[in-house]
Amino acid sequence: MLTRMQAVIGAGFGDEGKGRTVDALVANAQRDGLRPWVVRFNSGAQAGHTVVTPDGRRHVFHQLGSGTFLDAPTYLGAEVVLNPWLLDAELEALADLGVRAPRLLADPRAPVSVPWDAMINQALEHARGAGRHGSCGVGFGETVQRSQHPGYALQGADLMSEARVRARLTAIRHEYLPRRLREVGLPLDALGTFVDNPALVDRFVADALSLGRRFEWRTPLVLAEQDALVFEAAQGLRLDQDLGEFPYVTRSQTGLPGIARMAREAGLCALAPLQAHYVTRAYLTRHGAGPLPDELPAPPAPGFSDPTNRLNPYQGTLRFAHLDPDALRRDIRSDLQRIAISKTSSTPDRNETLTVHPMLEVTCLDQMGSTVFRRNGTSVPVADLAVATAAAVGIALAAEAWGPARTDRRVVTMDVQRRELVLQE
């Protein structure tokens, strides 16, 4: 019976510290005698959530949940895009770190990327030149687009049949691909000579069937049988397709709506409230194209370190700005409002309404100097930044992180109204 339900949501443009927060929440649940699952509900393999264990192992999670070092099972929902050709590499990297045969489950309706999705994605970004949208180049948005056409959608349930996979690939290549290229104004040769290589199809089929064997295919109803769930969002609220600035957004809702849909379908709403942990760094980052108000020419922190977000041909270099409490407040409240709307019915159904307890987490405090500047022109001692930010946002402060590992996370209880701060061991 579900007794604890938590979520980790990025409050910026991504890269806020979601991975380390999920890892810590899983460890806490296990310490309390629970057996948590990590649930991904949006995005796909373009996610990059870094976890550093107390013994120094480090991995950037893409398709697996960030509780994998702690043997927490991963469940991927119906809106998570599966990427067969990148999964084996991630599993091999984890095996080198001592993690073998993690338990993986997924909704059989989850869409599956095919190589031509990534090819179109990359060709479009190249064609846009200085007007790029900031894509990661793995084909997530193109997979979502193609999956809207039932005749060309490849789903997790299809990966148990080689004949089914090959038949769908044939339809995509000869019917959907030419149509999609015309829609976006690209010639076929923009995808390169590899587009019709038979080895491409054979390799993808092998990877797809391998993914099909590695996963247990279960509907969300299985979630109600667990005693603890940690929902792990990908990207951040400022990249949400509804809250961000189009076209520099991702093709998903990065906050509460996706969790609420899954919770309603699985019958979770009446079982436990959702503790929503909104995460931000002590400064603001953006990796990719798009607006970044008052962008800084260099990192705002003298101890800045980020080995995950390196220069790449699609997103460029990591960009920086001072933390903006007003934007945090606006975006978090906008996300909460999307859930509150469902409670305005004259006859609300308790089984359909998700109760949310929001709280804030601030990471990367160890990278700052003694004083932290904020976008509104004020400065705060680094020791007080998390408390001051939570007060400005108007929600409780749950924790602050002074390093990359879960042991560097300090759990905090702060009553926003009374401004009382209590540190817990």
Side-chain angles (χ1 to χ4, degrees), residues 150-345:
Y152 306 113
L154 185 66
Q155 297 181 316
D158 298 323
L159 304 186
M160 305 306 294
S161 166
E162 179 175 349
R164 176 71 172 169
V165 174
R166 288 188 179 275
R168 190 49 51 95
L169 288 176
T170 298
I172 294 170
R173 168 61 189 91
H174 295 291
E175 299 171 17
Y176 176 81
L177 183 60
R179 179 194 306 175
R180 180 59 178 161
L181 290 175
R182 288 193 298 270
E183 288 177 355
V184 298
L186 287 176
L188 180 61
D189 60 13
L191 305 189
T193 58
F194 199 53
V195 66
D196 280 323
N197 190 324
L200 173 75
V201 172
D202 290 341
R203 176 59 188 269
F204 175 79
V205 170
D207 289 340
L209 297 177
S210 175
L211 187 150
R213 290 189 297 268
R214 290 184 184 277
F215 276 81
E216 302 172 39
W217 301 100
R218 304 287 297 275
T219 72
L221 293 174
V222 71
L223 301 179
E225 302 170 7
Q226 313 314 314
D227 55 15
L229 302 174
V230 179
F231 288 89
E232 180 174 3
Q235 287 80 54
L237 293 179
R238 300 185 77 173
L239 294 178
D240 187 288
Q241 65 181 14
D242 299 324
L243 303 180
E245 188 166 339
F246 187 83
Y248 307 104
V249 295
T250 188
R251 288 287 297 267
S252 74
Q253 293 173 310
T254 63
L256 292 173
I259 301 173
R261 284 191 292 274
M262 189 180 293
R264 286 193 292 269
E265 185 175 359
L268 306 178
C269 296
L271 301 181
L274 178 73
Q275 299 175 5
H277 295 244
Y278 290 95
V279 186
T280 179
R281 292 195 195 200
Y283 51 93
L284 188 63
T285 65
R286 180 164 196 162
H287 200 193
L292 181 59
D294 298 326
E295 183 172 353
L296 299 171
F304 168 77
S305 174
D306 189 331
T308 299
N309 292 286
R310 298 177 178 177
L311 172 68
N312 69 62
Y314 298 102
Q315 293 178 290
T317 59
L318 196 63
R319 302 156 60 197
F320 307 94
H322 291 308
L323 188 63
D324 186 347
D326 296 332
L328 276 176
R329 180 184 182 91
R330 177 199 68 216
D331 295 332
I332 291 173
R333 292 208 166 196
S334 294
D335 193 40
L336 292 168
Q337 181 63 28
R338 295 192 286 184
I339 298 301
I341 291 173
S342 67
K343 298 182 181 181
T344 60
S345 169

